[in-house]
Amino acid sequence: MPDLILPGLIDVHTHLRVPGGEHKEDFATGTAAALAGGVTMVLAMPNTNPPLTTPDALAAALRAAAAGARCDVGLYAGASREDVTHLSGLAGQAVALKIYLNDTFGKLRVDDLPTLAACFQAWPRERVIALHAERQSVAVAIGLAAVYDRPVHIVHVSRREEIELIADAKGRGLPVTCEVSPHHLFLSAADAARLGPLGDMRPVLGTAEDVAALWAHLLGGTVDCIATDHAPHTLDEKRGPNPPPGVPGLETSLPLMLTAVADGRLPVERLTALMHDNPRRIFGLRAQPDTRVEVDMTPWTIPATGWQTKCDWTPFAGLTAGGRVRRVVLRGQIVYEDGAVLAAPGSGQVINGAGLERD
Ligand code: NCD
Ligand code: ZN
């Protein structure tokens, strides 16, 4: 008997690197990593090369996903000034829209108000707009939610002042949700010094106070989702002259969160809300029938290599995880068991805008 049975987890923030970054990850390897981490549905980000800002680019990525995915995959459309006129044509193919307000890996970035306004006017009202917003950009994101009276989701929140502003916005009833990534909960600036480029991502690792504030708001209820921000880059790239920001996370997210469960800090119901119920509700994702994750709660030490992700490293090596995934069942099929991914490429379903459910 497993120690714990969870629903198939949903990761609303994954980078699968197709097109243009297939040497880092592709749909087959990234979704193998997802299943190994107990994740049966991922929403993949649009900062590919070329980015997913046009109907043609999105259609090609959807075809690649249909051929390669081993778990269910939805795609984000990306916002850019040049392609903003395409937005209404992307809504049928994408699950949600992503707007980058701050610099990160890839060229996608919106820093002019007319483009932002056009995004909020063109994107269907009932569908999520997710924003990469750091520091005062969080106020911009909340302001847009208030002005347009429509839901915004703020991705990978990492700083105390940001989560506190979001808590205030929620307290005033504004339609704002947010996610936090495990690296911002289990690592801090002290680890960044130790890890060098392997500990560099956007947003960067926070201070001990930031980490404490994120935990307080995670247990208190401000945080809606745990999202991996699985952002694979090869070790050669990370150790090269211009290391790109980002770290892999699909296979370590649940094991790390289980540490908090084992410590008695995080009730299992709250874990399930953060990694399944809330992602499903916020993005309007359909239930996956006969789907579950079986967990063994024996502590283990996270190894440096031996992962499903093509980049095969982790910034969490050496940390103790509170549990591990033993078996994953997706729509009645065993898709992962004791280290082996059993689902074939193409067996996952692709979710488009028409495949969403709304309350
Ligand atoms: C992400 C990537 O590599 O695509 N990098 C990162 O540091 N988080 C981009 C992003 O999510 O901002
Ligand atoms: Zn990301």
Side-chain angles (χ1 to χ4, degrees), residues 35-36 40 53 66 101 105 127 141-142 163 227 281 289 319 332 335-336 345:
L35 291 175
T40 54
T53 56
L101 295 178
F105 179 69
R127 301 270 296 282
I142 294 169
I163 198 66
R281 176 179 45 80
L319 268 64
V335 288
Y336 175 86

Side-chain angles (χ1 to χ4, degrees), residues 7 57-58 61 65 94 108 110 124 138 183 206 219 226 287 317 320 326 328-329 347 349 355:
L58 207 48
L108 281 183
V110 174
V138 174
H183 43 264
L219 300 172
I226 295 295
T320 301
R326 275 286 173 224
V328 180
V329 177
S347 59
Q349 294 184 359

Side-chain angles (χ1 to χ4, degrees), residues 9-14 39 41 153 156-157 178-186 214-215 217-219 223-229 249-250 252-258 260 266 270-279 282-283:
L9 305 180
I10 301 171
D11 183 26
V12 300
H13 191 146
T14 311
V39 174
M41 190 186 290
H153 178 76
H156 48 44
V157 177
C178 70
E179 66 187 39
V180 167
S181 302
H183 43 264
H184 294 126
L185 293 169
F186 290 91
L214 292 181
W215 274 108
H217 282 274
L218 185 138
L219 300 172
V223 177
D224 297 283
C225 308
I226 295 295
T228 68
D229 191 15
L250 276 167
T252 44
S253 179
L254 177 62
L256 286 167
M257 294 310 292
L258 290 171
L266 181 66
R270 182 80 183 120
L271 175 82
T272 305
L274 289 163
M275 302 187 81
H276 172 269
D277 307 347
N278 294 343
I282 291 165
F283 287 83

Side-chain angles (χ1 to χ4, degrees), residues 156-278:
H156 48 44
V157 177
S158 69
R159 296 179 183 87
R160 176 180 166 184
E161 66 262 29
E162 298 165 352
I163 198 66
E164 288 180 348
L165 193 65
I166 292 167
D168 285 349
K170 287 184 159 205
R172 289 175 181 276
L174 293 172
V176 180
T177 58
C178 70
E179 66 187 39
V180 167
S181 302
H183 43 264
H184 294 126
L185 293 169
F186 290 91
L187 300 173
S188 69
D191 298 293
R194 170 176 66 84
L195 290 164
L198 299 191
D200 180 39
M201 75 292 290
R202 299 294 170 274
V204 297
L205 293 173
T207 64
E209 274 154 34
D210 291 326
V211 174
L214 292 181
W215 274 108
H217 282 274
L218 185 138
L219 300 172
T222 309
V223 177
D224 297 283
C225 308
I226 295 295
T228 68
D229 191 15
H230 177 81
H233 299 286
T234 67
L235 274 177
D236 281 352
E237 290 166 336
K238 285 298 240 182
R239 289 175 176 152
N242 294 306
V247 299
L250 276 167
E251 291 163 87
T252 44
S253 179
L254 177 62
L256 286 167
M257 294 310 292
L258 290 171
T259 309
V261 174
D263 291 349
R265 276 190 293 166
L266 181 66
V268 175
E269 300 70 41
R270 182 80 183 120
L271 175 82
T272 305
L274 289 163
M275 302 187 81
H276 172 269
D277 307 347
N278 294 343

